[in-house]
Amino acid sequence: GVDPGTIVISENALNASLRKEHRQVVLGQEISRPTILDQVLAQALLMCQNDPNIPSMLGSTLCAEDFYEGQGRLDGAFCDYTEEDKIEYLRRAYSMGCRNIEMESCAFSSLCHRAGVRGAVVCVTLIDRLQSDLMSPPDVERYDELVRRPHQLVIKFIKRQLGLKIKENKSLTQATSTPPAQPVTS
């Protein structure tokens, strides 16, 4: 996979079946809509990220329907597949350009495209899922810094678009959040 801390700007969103579509049930009928993101916007965001210490890339985003089974995790309450099954699925997704996993990009990209609004998805990888389902202790310690990376990039892009001077935003760098709970292992 992709090293933790890498910013991934989505070229497209793939659903859990690895298709570029968002499926939604409306009035009892399943509807499929394309998950199209603005490629020019994605390129502009990538060009705005010029910090050599923060890796960034374009890639597809795998949009799972839940946090555990939908993402092929082995540490959930239910797991009806093997680690080999998980790795095969994640490798297939990787071969299709997927560089990160989240749970909103299909609905978001479909809605933006349908409304005629330019849309982009900017994420940060927290885990190389081909290696683990959990954050490593060093990455847990730098969680706050990692999760701010997409926000900082988008703020820099907006400021550039507005012609504003780009400088460090103290309130953003002082923001804190709580890392995801890590299971206790013995």
Side-chain angles (χ1 to χ4, degrees), residues 6-135:
T6 302
I7 294 174
V8 177
I9 302 161
S10 303
E11 294 176 295
N12 57 63
L14 300 178
N15 66 19
S17 298
L18 303 178
R19 293 188 193 110
K20 296 176 187 177
E21 64 182 7
H22 175 239
R23 292 185 175 185
Q24 179 181 7
V25 177
V26 178
L27 302 175
Q29 299 294 314
E30 186 173 290
I31 296 172
S32 175
R33 295 192 174 105
T35 55
I36 298 173
L37 292 164
D38 189 301
Q39 300 304 301
V40 173
L41 182 55
Q43 285 288 339
L45 283 158
L46 182 64
M47 301 225 4
C48 197
Q49 202 314 90
N50 54 7
D51 185 334
N53 298 314
I54 300 176
S56 58
M57 64 175 57
L58 294 172
S60 296
T61 293
L62 172 57
C63 183
E65 295 178 11
D66 65 82
F67 189 75
Y68 289 98
E69 289 182 302
Q71 295 188 24
R73 293 179 183 274
L74 301 170
D75 59 338
F78 302 102
C79 182
D80 299 324
Y81 45 86
T82 66
E83 182 167 5
E84 291 77 25
D85 296 334
K86 166 194 138 173
I87 294 298
E88 188 276 324
Y89 175 71
L90 293 176
R91 283 191 177 140
R92 189 162 28 112
Y94 190 86
S95 74
M96 296 176 73
C98 289
R99 298 298 179 259
N100 67 303
I101 303 172
E102 52 85 80
M103 298 183 295
E104 303 81 25
S105 61
C106 279
F108 176 79
S109 59
S110 174
L111 179 65
C112 287
H113 176 68
R114 187 173 178 208
V117 175
R118 294 175 66 198
V121 175
V122 183
C123 299
V124 68
T125 56
L126 297 175
I127 303 165
D128 178 347
R129 289 299 312 290
L130 291 172
Q131 302 299 318
S132 177
D133 288 343
L134 304 172
M135 290 180 72

Side-chain angles (χ1 to χ4, degrees), residues 129-182:
R129 289 299 312 290
L130 291 172
Q131 302 299 318
S132 177
D133 288 343
L134 304 172
M135 290 180 72
S136 69
D139 290 332
V140 170
E141 289 178 18
R142 61 185 200 136
Y143 176 82
D144 286 341
E145 183 254 325
L146 295 179
V147 298
R148 280 195 304 268
R149 287 180 176 184
H151 304 111
Q152 291 168 330
L153 174 58
V154 171
I155 287 168
K156 183 191 284 186
F157 174 79
I158 292 169
K159 285 182 174 182
R160 190 171 284 174
Q161 292 297 304
L162 296 174
L164 301 174
K165 187 173 184 177
I166 299 171
K167 62 181 181 177
E168 186 69 21
N169 183 335
K170 300 272 189 234
S171 64
L172 184 63
T173 58
Q174 293 174 354
T176 60
S177 54
T178 306
Q182 297 290 311

